[in-house]
Short mmCIF file of all heavy atoms in Angstrom, two decimals:
data_model
loop_
_atom_site.label_atom_id
_atom_site.label_comp_id
_atom_site.label_asym_id
_atom_site.label_seq_id
_atom_site.Cartn_x
_atom_site.Cartn_y
_atom_site.Cartn_z
N PRO A 9 -22.06 -94.46 23.98
CA PRO A 9 -22.40 -95.87 23.55
C PRO A 9 -23.54 -96.55 24.52
O PRO A 9 -23.39 -96.34 25.61
CB PRO A 9 -21.12 -96.57 23.58
CG PRO A 9 -20.14 -95.41 23.50
CD PRO A 9 -20.78 -94.34 24.17
N LEU A 10 -24.39 -97.32 23.85
CA LEU A 10 -25.35 -97.91 24.64
C LEU A 10 -24.84 -98.96 25.68
O LEU A 10 -25.26 -98.88 26.81
CB LEU A 10 -26.23 -98.81 23.78
CG LEU A 10 -27.28 -98.09 23.00
CD1 LEU A 10 -28.27 -99.13 22.13
CD2 LEU A 10 -28.21 -97.19 23.86
N ASN A 11 -23.61 -99.48 25.41
CA ASN A 11 -23.00 -100.34 26.49
C ASN A 11 -22.28 -99.55 27.63
O ASN A 11 -21.73 -100.30 28.58
CB ASN A 11 -22.00 -101.30 25.72
CG ASN A 11 -20.83 -100.48 25.20
OD1 ASN A 11 -20.69 -99.32 25.20
ND2 ASN A 11 -20.07 -101.32 24.26
N ARG A 12 -22.27 -98.25 27.50
CA ARG A 12 -21.75 -97.51 28.68
C ARG A 12 -22.93 -96.80 29.46
O ARG A 12 -22.64 -96.14 30.45
CB ARG A 12 -20.78 -96.52 28.10
CG ARG A 12 -19.44 -97.13 27.72
CD ARG A 12 -18.24 -96.28 28.26
NE ARG A 12 -18.00 -94.92 27.58
CZ ARG A 12 -17.36 -94.88 26.43
NH1 ARG A 12 -16.68 -95.83 25.88
NH2 ARG A 12 -17.27 -93.73 25.87
N LEU A 13 -24.01 -97.06 29.14
CA LEU A 13 -25.25 -96.55 30.01
C LEU A 13 -25.21 -97.29 31.19
O LEU A 13 -25.16 -98.56 31.19
CB LEU A 13 -26.54 -96.63 29.13
CG LEU A 13 -26.65 -95.67 27.91
CD1 LEU A 13 -27.91 -95.90 27.22
CD2 LEU A 13 -26.49 -94.11 28.31
N ASP A 14 -25.73 -96.69 32.41
CA ASP A 14 -26.00 -97.49 33.59
C ASP A 14 -27.19 -98.22 33.37
O ASP A 14 -28.01 -97.94 32.38
CB ASP A 14 -26.12 -96.54 34.72
CG ASP A 14 -27.33 -95.71 34.59
OD1 ASP A 14 -28.39 -96.14 34.85
OD2 ASP A 14 -27.16 -94.39 34.40
N PRO A 15 -27.43 -99.44 34.03
CA PRO A 15 -28.49 -100.30 33.71
C PRO A 15 -29.90 -99.63 33.76
O PRO A 15 -30.76 -99.90 32.90
CB PRO A 15 -28.49 -101.37 34.86
CG PRO A 15 -26.97 -101.30 35.18
CD PRO A 15 -26.49 -99.93 34.89
N ALA A 16 -30.16 -98.67 34.75
CA ALA A 16 -31.37 -97.90 34.80
C ALA A 16 -31.64 -97.22 33.58
O ALA A 16 -32.85 -97.25 32.88
CB ALA A 16 -31.46 -97.13 36.02
N MET A 17 -30.61 -96.50 33.07
CA MET A 17 -30.86 -95.80 31.90
C MET A 17 -30.95 -96.55 30.63
O MET A 17 -31.70 -96.22 29.68
CB MET A 17 -29.73 -94.68 31.67
CG MET A 17 -29.76 -93.73 30.41
SD MET A 17 -31.19 -92.68 30.60
CE MET A 17 -30.52 -91.26 31.56
N TYR A 18 -30.21 -97.69 30.56
CA TYR A 18 -30.21 -98.56 29.45
C TYR A 18 -31.61 -99.13 29.19
O TYR A 18 -32.15 -99.19 28.17
CB TYR A 18 -29.25 -99.77 29.69
CG TYR A 18 -29.23 -100.67 28.53
CD1 TYR A 18 -28.44 -100.36 27.40
CD2 TYR A 18 -29.88 -101.91 28.59
CE1 TYR A 18 -28.33 -101.32 26.40
CE2 TYR A 18 -29.78 -102.90 27.60
CZ TYR A 18 -29.04 -102.57 26.39
OH TYR A 18 -28.93 -103.44 25.30
N ARG A 19 -32.32 -99.59 30.27
CA ARG A 19 -33.66 -100.02 30.29
C ARG A 19 -34.71 -98.86 29.73
O ARG A 19 -35.70 -99.26 29.01
CB ARG A 19 -34.18 -100.48 31.57
CG ARG A 19 -33.49 -101.78 32.13
CD ARG A 19 -34.18 -102.36 33.30
NE ARG A 19 -34.01 -101.48 34.50
CZ ARG A 19 -32.96 -101.64 35.42
NH1 ARG A 19 -32.05 -102.57 35.08
NH2 ARG A 19 -32.98 -100.83 36.48
N VAL A 20 -34.40 -97.61 30.05
CA VAL A 20 -35.28 -96.57 29.56
C VAL A 20 -35.20 -96.35 28.04
O VAL A 20 -36.06 -96.37 27.30
CB VAL A 20 -34.92 -95.30 30.37
CG1 VAL A 20 -35.64 -94.10 29.66
CG2 VAL A 20 -35.37 -95.40 31.71
N VAL A 21 -33.91 -96.38 27.64
CA VAL A 21 -33.44 -96.11 26.20
C VAL A 21 -34.02 -97.36 25.34
O VAL A 21 -34.36 -97.00 24.20
CB VAL A 21 -31.93 -95.98 26.07
CG1 VAL A 21 -31.64 -95.86 24.54
CG2 VAL A 21 -31.53 -94.66 26.70
N LEU A 22 -34.04 -98.47 25.76
CA LEU A 22 -34.55 -99.61 25.06
C LEU A 22 -35.99 -99.40 24.48
O LEU A 22 -36.40 -99.95 23.54
CB LEU A 22 -34.40 -100.96 25.78
CG LEU A 22 -33.03 -101.53 25.94
CD1 LEU A 22 -33.08 -102.86 26.66
CD2 LEU A 22 -32.38 -101.71 24.54
N LEU A 23 -36.77 -98.57 25.34
CA LEU A 23 -38.19 -98.52 24.90
C LEU A 23 -38.47 -97.27 24.06
O LEU A 23 -39.50 -96.95 23.77
CB LEU A 23 -38.91 -98.26 26.22
CG LEU A 23 -38.99 -99.47 27.20
CD1 LEU A 23 -39.67 -99.15 28.56
CD2 LEU A 23 -39.55 -100.68 26.62
N MET A 24 -37.33 -96.59 23.66
CA MET A 24 -37.40 -95.46 22.76
C MET A 24 -37.10 -95.77 21.39
O MET A 24 -36.21 -96.53 21.01
CB MET A 24 -36.38 -94.29 23.23
CG MET A 24 -36.68 -93.83 24.54
SD MET A 24 -35.31 -92.54 24.97
CE MET A 24 -36.00 -91.90 26.43
N ASP A 25 -38.07 -95.32 20.44
CA ASP A 25 -37.83 -95.75 19.09
C ASP A 25 -37.80 -94.71 18.13
O ASP A 25 -37.60 -94.94 16.87
CB ASP A 25 -39.24 -96.52 18.57
CG ASP A 25 -40.53 -95.76 18.98
OD1 ASP A 25 -40.34 -94.51 19.34
OD2 ASP A 25 -41.60 -96.38 18.85
N GLU A 26 -37.68 -93.40 18.55
CA GLU A 26 -37.52 -92.34 17.59
C GLU A 26 -36.89 -91.03 18.35
O GLU A 26 -37.24 -90.89 19.59
CB GLU A 26 -38.69 -91.85 16.81
CG GLU A 26 -39.92 -91.51 17.63
CD GLU A 26 -41.06 -91.09 16.91
OE1 GLU A 26 -41.08 -91.43 15.56
OE2 GLU A 26 -42.06 -90.42 17.52
N GLU A 27 -36.11 -90.30 17.63
CA GLU A 27 -35.51 -89.16 18.30
C GLU A 27 -36.69 -88.18 18.67
O GLU A 27 -37.66 -87.98 17.96
CB GLU A 27 -34.60 -88.46 17.30
CG GLU A 27 -33.25 -89.21 16.91
CD GLU A 27 -32.37 -88.60 16.06
OE1 GLU A 27 -32.65 -87.38 15.60
OE2 GLU A 27 -31.27 -89.04 15.68
N GLY A 28 -36.50 -87.53 19.89
CA GLY A 28 -37.50 -86.63 20.29
C GLY A 28 -38.54 -87.24 21.36
O GLY A 28 -39.25 -86.53 21.97
N TYR A 29 -38.37 -88.65 21.35
CA TYR A 29 -39.26 -89.28 22.35
C TYR A 29 -38.97 -88.99 23.78
O TYR A 29 -37.83 -88.95 24.14
CB TYR A 29 -39.24 -90.84 21.96
CG TYR A 29 -40.19 -91.61 22.89
CD1 TYR A 29 -41.39 -91.92 22.47
CD2 TYR A 29 -39.66 -92.20 24.18
CE1 TYR A 29 -42.32 -92.72 23.31
CE2 TYR A 29 -40.55 -93.00 24.87
CZ TYR A 29 -41.88 -93.22 24.55
OH TYR A 29 -42.71 -93.90 25.30
N ILE A 30 -40.00 -88.74 24.59
CA ILE A 30 -39.73 -88.59 25.95
C ILE A 30 -40.38 -89.58 26.85
O ILE A 30 -41.55 -90.09 26.61
CB ILE A 30 -40.44 -87.28 26.45
CG1 ILE A 30 -39.85 -86.11 25.64
CG2 ILE A 30 -40.23 -86.98 27.87
CD1 ILE A 30 -40.57 -84.80 25.95
N SER A 31 -39.57 -90.29 27.67
CA SER A 31 -39.96 -91.52 28.42
C SER A 31 -40.87 -91.13 29.50
O SER A 31 -41.20 -89.98 29.83
CB SER A 31 -38.74 -92.14 29.06
OG SER A 31 -38.40 -91.31 30.19
N GLU A 32 -41.62 -92.22 30.00
CA GLU A 32 -42.46 -91.99 31.18
C GLU A 32 -41.59 -91.83 32.43
O GLU A 32 -40.37 -92.35 32.27
CB GLU A 32 -43.46 -93.06 31.39
CG GLU A 32 -44.42 -93.13 30.12
CD GLU A 32 -45.47 -94.34 30.25
OE1 GLU A 32 -45.09 -95.17 31.27
OE2 GLU A 32 -46.50 -94.33 29.63
N PRO A 33 -41.96 -91.27 33.55
CA PRO A 33 -41.26 -91.21 34.85
C PRO A 33 -40.72 -92.58 35.20
O PRO A 33 -41.46 -93.60 35.34
CB PRO A 33 -42.19 -90.67 35.84
CG PRO A 33 -43.29 -89.98 35.04
CD PRO A 33 -43.41 -90.71 33.71
N LYS A 34 -39.38 -92.66 35.43
CA LYS A 34 -38.76 -93.90 35.96
C LYS A 34 -37.95 -93.50 37.24
O LYS A 34 -37.22 -92.47 37.34
CB LYS A 34 -37.90 -94.52 34.94
CG LYS A 34 -38.73 -95.02 33.63
CD LYS A 34 -39.63 -96.16 34.01
CE LYS A 34 -40.39 -96.69 32.76
NZ LYS A 34 -41.30 -97.69 33.03
N SER A 35 -37.86 -94.47 38.10
CA SER A 35 -36.95 -94.18 39.31
C SER A 35 -35.51 -94.62 39.06
O SER A 35 -35.24 -95.44 38.24
CB SER A 35 -37.57 -95.00 40.54
OG SER A 35 -37.44 -96.38 40.23
N PHE A 36 -34.62 -93.98 39.80
CA PHE A 36 -33.31 -94.25 39.70
C PHE A 36 -32.49 -93.69 40.95
O PHE A 36 -33.13 -92.84 41.74
CB PHE A 36 -32.64 -93.68 38.46
CG PHE A 36 -32.32 -92.22 38.47
CD1 PHE A 36 -31.07 -91.63 38.58
CD2 PHE A 36 -33.45 -91.33 38.37
CE1 PHE A 36 -30.88 -90.23 38.45
CE2 PHE A 36 -33.24 -89.90 38.39
CZ PHE A 36 -31.94 -89.45 38.46
N ASN A 37 -31.23 -94.07 41.10
CA ASN A 37 -30.37 -93.43 42.22
C ASN A 37 -29.55 -92.27 41.81
O ASN A 37 -28.83 -92.43 40.91
CB ASN A 37 -29.50 -94.55 42.69
CG ASN A 37 -28.74 -94.04 43.99
OD1 ASN A 37 -29.21 -93.39 44.87
ND2 ASN A 37 -27.41 -94.18 43.94
N LEU A 38 -29.96 -91.04 42.33
CA LEU A 38 -29.23 -89.94 41.95
C LEU A 38 -27.92 -89.88 42.62
O LEU A 38 -27.77 -89.54 43.86
CB LEU A 38 -30.06 -88.66 42.23
CG LEU A 38 -29.46 -87.26 41.82
CD1 LEU A 38 -29.04 -87.25 40.38
CD2 LEU A 38 -30.45 -86.23 42.11
N GLN A 39 -26.83 -90.36 42.07
CA GLN A 39 -25.62 -90.63 42.66
C GLN A 39 -24.98 -89.29 43.35
O GLN A 39 -24.35 -89.33 44.37
CB GLN A 39 -24.58 -91.34 41.77
CG GLN A 39 -25.08 -92.66 41.43
CD GLN A 39 -24.01 -93.41 40.61
OE1 GLN A 39 -22.99 -92.79 40.17
NE2 GLN A 39 -24.06 -94.68 40.43
N SER A 40 -25.07 -88.23 42.62
CA SER A 40 -24.49 -86.88 43.08
C SER A 40 -25.08 -86.61 44.48
O SER A 40 -24.40 -85.77 45.34
CB SER A 40 -24.64 -85.79 42.12
OG SER A 40 -26.06 -85.54 42.01
N GLN A 41 -26.31 -87.05 44.80
CA GLN A 41 -26.85 -86.61 46.11
C GLN A 41 -27.21 -87.85 46.88
O GLN A 41 -27.77 -87.75 48.07
CB GLN A 41 -28.19 -85.80 45.92
CG GLN A 41 -27.99 -84.60 45.24
CD GLN A 41 -29.20 -83.69 45.17
OE1 GLN A 41 -29.96 -83.62 46.05
NE2 GLN A 41 -29.30 -82.90 44.07
N ASN A 42 -26.98 -89.17 46.32
CA ASN A 42 -27.07 -90.38 46.96
C ASN A 42 -28.68 -90.55 47.52
O ASN A 42 -28.98 -90.84 48.57
CB ASN A 42 -26.29 -90.61 48.28
CG ASN A 42 -26.31 -92.00 48.74
OD1 ASN A 42 -26.53 -92.91 48.01
ND2 ASN A 42 -26.08 -92.18 50.03
N LYS A 43 -29.54 -90.15 46.57
CA LYS A 43 -31.01 -90.12 46.79
C LYS A 43 -31.63 -90.82 45.74
O LYS A 43 -31.32 -90.92 44.64
CB LYS A 43 -31.50 -88.63 46.90
CG LYS A 43 -31.11 -87.87 48.14
CD LYS A 43 -31.76 -86.58 48.13
CE LYS A 43 -31.42 -85.72 49.42
NZ LYS A 43 -32.04 -84.38 49.25
N LYS A 44 -32.94 -91.44 46.13
CA LYS A 44 -33.81 -91.95 45.23
C LYS A 44 -34.54 -90.73 44.50
O LYS A 44 -34.99 -89.91 45.24
CB LYS A 44 -34.92 -92.87 45.77
CG LYS A 44 -35.81 -93.50 44.83
CD LYS A 44 -36.73 -94.52 45.54
CE LYS A 44 -37.53 -95.36 44.56
NZ LYS A 44 -38.39 -96.37 45.16
N ALA A 45 -34.66 -90.90 43.22
CA ALA A 45 -35.21 -89.83 42.38
C ALA A 45 -35.99 -90.36 41.25
O ALA A 45 -35.79 -91.62 40.92
CB ALA A 45 -34.22 -88.84 41.94
N TYR A 46 -36.74 -89.52 40.64
CA TYR A 46 -37.49 -90.01 39.36
C TYR A 46 -37.08 -88.97 38.25
O TYR A 46 -36.66 -87.79 38.52
CB TYR A 46 -39.09 -89.89 39.65
CG TYR A 46 -39.51 -91.07 40.43
CD1 TYR A 46 -39.46 -91.03 41.76
CD2 TYR A 46 -40.06 -92.15 39.72
CE1 TYR A 46 -39.83 -92.12 42.46
CE2 TYR A 46 -40.66 -93.21 40.46
CZ TYR A 46 -40.52 -93.24 41.82
OH TYR A 46 -40.92 -94.28 42.61
N ARG A 47 -37.09 -89.42 37.05
CA ARG A 47 -36.79 -88.54 35.88
C ARG A 47 -37.56 -89.12 34.58
O ARG A 47 -38.07 -90.05 34.57
CB ARG A 47 -35.25 -88.73 35.48
CG ARG A 47 -34.87 -90.20 35.10
CD ARG A 47 -33.46 -90.27 34.98
NE ARG A 47 -32.92 -91.64 34.78
CZ ARG A 47 -31.74 -92.05 34.83
NH1 ARG A 47 -30.70 -91.17 35.10
NH2 ARG A 47 -31.30 -93.34 34.57
N ILE A 48 -37.70 -88.05 33.66
CA ILE A 48 -38.16 -88.38 32.32
C ILE A 48 -36.91 -88.13 31.50
O ILE A 48 -36.17 -87.29 31.69
CB ILE A 48 -39.33 -87.57 31.96
CG1 ILE A 48 -39.11 -85.93 32.22
CG2 ILE A 48 -40.63 -87.93 32.69
CD1 ILE A 48 -40.28 -85.00 31.67
N VAL A 49 -36.76 -88.88 30.48
CA VAL A 49 -35.52 -88.83 29.55
C VAL A 49 -36.06 -88.52 28.12
O VAL A 49 -36.96 -89.24 27.74
CB VAL A 49 -34.87 -90.18 29.65
CG1 VAL A 49 -33.61 -90.08 28.80
CG2 VAL A 49 -34.34 -90.51 31.18
N ARG A 50 -35.30 -87.73 27.42
CA ARG A 50 -35.59 -87.44 26.04
C ARG A 50 -34.43 -88.07 25.20
O ARG A 50 -33.30 -87.70 25.61
CB ARG A 50 -35.82 -86.00 25.75
CG ARG A 50 -36.25 -85.77 24.27
CD ARG A 50 -36.33 -84.27 23.92
NE ARG A 50 -35.08 -83.63 23.93
CZ ARG A 50 -34.91 -82.27 23.81
NH1 ARG A 50 -36.01 -81.61 23.53
NH2 ARG A 50 -33.70 -81.64 23.83
#
């Protein structure tokens, strides 16, 4: 559910308008390693 996405991911998803869309690189905190990281999301 959209309301369970973390804020960083929620902001990425809001800019997607169709299935298969791949976002531009965005920064986020990779919690499993406690590191700043970048990702593209489909």
Side-chain angles (χ1 to χ4, degrees):
L10 284 183
N11 59 11
R12 285 222 291 268
L13 294 175
D14 66 74
M17 182 64 85
Y18 183 79
R19 289 191 293 269
V20 172
V21 172
L22 283 182
L23 300 176
M24 297 180 168
D25 53 8
E26 61 180 11
E27 294 181 359
Y29 182 86
I30 302 174
S31 74
E32 295 181 353
K34 298 293 182 182
S35 65
F36 76 110
N37 180 45
L38 183 57
Q39 293 185 350
S40 63
Q41 299 185 35
N42 193 29
K43 289 184 177 181
K44 185 174 184 179
Y46 283 80
R47 64 184 169 193
I48 54 175
V49 179
R50 186 181 69 179

